[in-house]
Amino acid sequence: MENRITKLFGIKYPIIQAGMVWNSGWRLASAVSNAGGLGVLGAGSMYPGVLQEHIHKCRQATDKPFGVNIPMLYPEIEKLMDIIVKEGVKIVFTAAGNPKTWTSFLKKNRITVVHVVSSVKFALKAQDAGVDAIVAEGFEAGGHNGRDETTTLVLIPSVKEKISVPIIAAGGIGSGKSMLAAMILGADGVQVGSRFVASVEASSHALFKKRVVEAQEGDTELTLKELTPVRLLKNEFYKEVQQAYVNGASMEELKALLGRGRAKKGMFEGDMKEGELEIGQVSALIHDIKPAVQIVADMMKEFEEAKANIKTL
């Protein structure tokens, strides 16, 4: 395929692997890039030195383009940005913050910048900040999400009406059919997270991957909107959060309940009871753990088959 996204990144297919905390290390990013998509390192769960190590290993494992995702709430973001420039990273995805803060700095260093948004309002702000593309992420997505709860089905055409830069659809996309649907709605490419969590190369714990493929419809919910909205698999920790709401917990009490390292405890260390298990609604449609190359190949095969079927309707 050749379109605005494949040209922008220099990739074969318009499939971007989301840079998810505790899931997206160099093994996954390099595997997706080698398969023809764009692999992305999830810097949000990495110390600066760890990110540098993953960049080195990713570069050794692939000669294809790859990117780095940086949440703008990261406490030592200046150190991450210095590493990005020093190591010659060419593609950066920013999220959870004002795109004006770092876009000009990255652009001055000849870095392609993509910002993640959950609304038309923030898509326009990102475009005004000078980003090269936008990830428009719907309510279905796993992990940290938008407060407005706008679904991907509504968000993509709404953003398409207002902006001119390329759009990457995210949220609820884990198959070739959903990829085609997103592109019919106006997206130039798709960002896929949950489907790549259930991959051989994902750095997440085996027990978390197993829990993802066992998930059923209704097993996830967006919660903790007072702090930062996050979609979680329902487990004992989730039940504690819900009980806290029933008890009228304050912001401080919710913060204390969340504590530190809760996501690492769940997704990386494998505590399925007390850990924070971030995953999207599409987990209900994921039934197996596959190599990333197979996930990309299956998505493209299904995409082409679905597109051919549309022509026969």
Side-chain angles (χ1 to χ4, degrees), residues 90-166:
K90 300 300 183 185
I91 302 167
V92 169
F93 287 67
T94 56
N98 186 344
K100 288 185 178 180
T101 309
W102 286 101
T103 297
S104 61
F105 168 83
L106 293 167
K107 295 292 289 179
K108 285 176 184 176
N109 285 282
R110 300 181 181 181
I111 295 170
T112 298
V113 183
V114 186
H115 191 65
V116 182
V117 303
S118 59
S119 69
V120 172
K121 174 184 176 182
F122 290 112
L124 288 168
K125 286 187 175 182
Q127 180 172 256
D128 290 343
V131 301
D132 297 286
I134 286 168
V135 175
E137 183 177 74
F139 170 67
E140 302 94 324
H144 296 289
N145 213 317
R147 288 183 169 85
D148 294 335
E149 302 188 6
T150 305
T151 64
T152 304
L153 191 68
V154 174
L155 181 62
I156 300 308
S158 298
V159 171
K160 181 68 174 179
E161 281 186 350
K162 300 294 184 180
I163 71 167
S164 59
V165 298

Side-chain angles (χ1 to χ4, degrees), residues 2-258:
E2 188 172 283
N3 67 9
R4 294 200 294 173
I5 286 297
T6 57
K7 289 179 181 177
L8 179 65
F9 297 138
I11 57 178
K12 186 176 182 181
Y13 306 125
I15 298 174
I16 289 83
Q17 164 247 312
M20 304 163 286
V21 295
W22 303 116
N23 294 275
S24 307
W26 68 270
R27 288 183 178 85
L28 177 58
S30 61
V32 173
S33 290
N34 284 331
L38 182 71
V40 180
L41 297 171
S45 53
M46 299 179 184
Y47 290 115
V50 174
L51 172 60
Q52 192 167 33
E53 178 185 350
H54 277 258
I55 291 171
H56 289 173
K57 289 183 175 179
C58 196
R59 193 163 278 143
Q60 290 169 1
T62 184
D63 60 356
K64 303 294 193 298
F66 66 91
V68 175
N69 178 285
I70 301 181
M72 300 175 89
L73 297 175
Y74 188 94
E76 294 182 302
I77 191 168
E78 294 85 0
K79 292 182 180 180
L80 294 187
M81 291 299 184
D82 286 344
I83 288 170
I84 291 294
V85 173
K86 178 183 176 182
E87 295 298 332
V89 172
K90 300 300 183 185
I91 302 167
V92 169
F93 287 67
T94 56
N98 186 344
K100 288 185 178 180
T101 309
W102 286 101
T103 297
S104 61
F105 168 83
L106 293 167
K107 295 292 289 179
K108 285 176 184 176
N109 285 282
R110 300 181 181 181
I111 295 170
T112 298
V113 183
V114 186
H115 191 65
V116 182
V117 303
S118 59
S119 69
V120 172
K121 174 184 176 182
F122 290 112
L124 288 168
K125 286 187 175 182
Q127 180 172 256
D128 290 343
V131 301
D132 297 286
I134 286 168
V135 175
E137 183 177 74
F139 170 67
E140 302 94 324
H144 296 289
N145 213 317
R147 288 183 169 85
D148 294 335
E149 302 188 6
T150 305
T151 64
T152 304
L153 191 68
V154 174
L155 181 62
I156 300 308
S158 298
V159 171
K160 181 68 174 179
E161 281 186 350
K162 300 294 184 180
I163 71 167
S164 59
V165 298
I167 300 169
I168 301 165
I173 300 168
S175 67
K177 289 179 181 177
S178 53
M179 176 181 170
L180 178 60
M183 295 181 77
I184 289 172
L185 289 171
D188 300 281
V190 294
Q191 178 174 281
V192 178
S194 298
R195 174 62 270 198
F196 283 119
V197 169
S199 69
V200 173
E201 296 88 352
S203 51
S204 42
H205 198 281
L207 289 177
F208 179 46
K209 297 180 187 182
K210 182 174 182 290
R211 181 71 179 83
V212 169
V213 299
E214 291 173 348
Q216 302 295 313
E217 188 273 326
D219 281 355
T220 73
E221 187 170 318
L222 192 72
T223 188
L224 292 170
K225 291 179 73 172
E226 293 82 357
L227 301 179
T228 174
V230 62
R231 181 171 294 283
L232 302 176
L233 276 168
K234 297 175 181 177
N235 64 352
E236 281 74 3
F237 167 62
Y238 163 83
K239 292 175 183 177
E240 289 179 40
V241 171
Q242 298 311 108
Q243 188 58 51
Y245 280 119
V246 171
N247 297 339
S250 65
M251 284 275 287
E252 290 68 27
E253 288 171 327
L254 289 173
K255 287 179 181 178
L257 177 59
L258 182 59

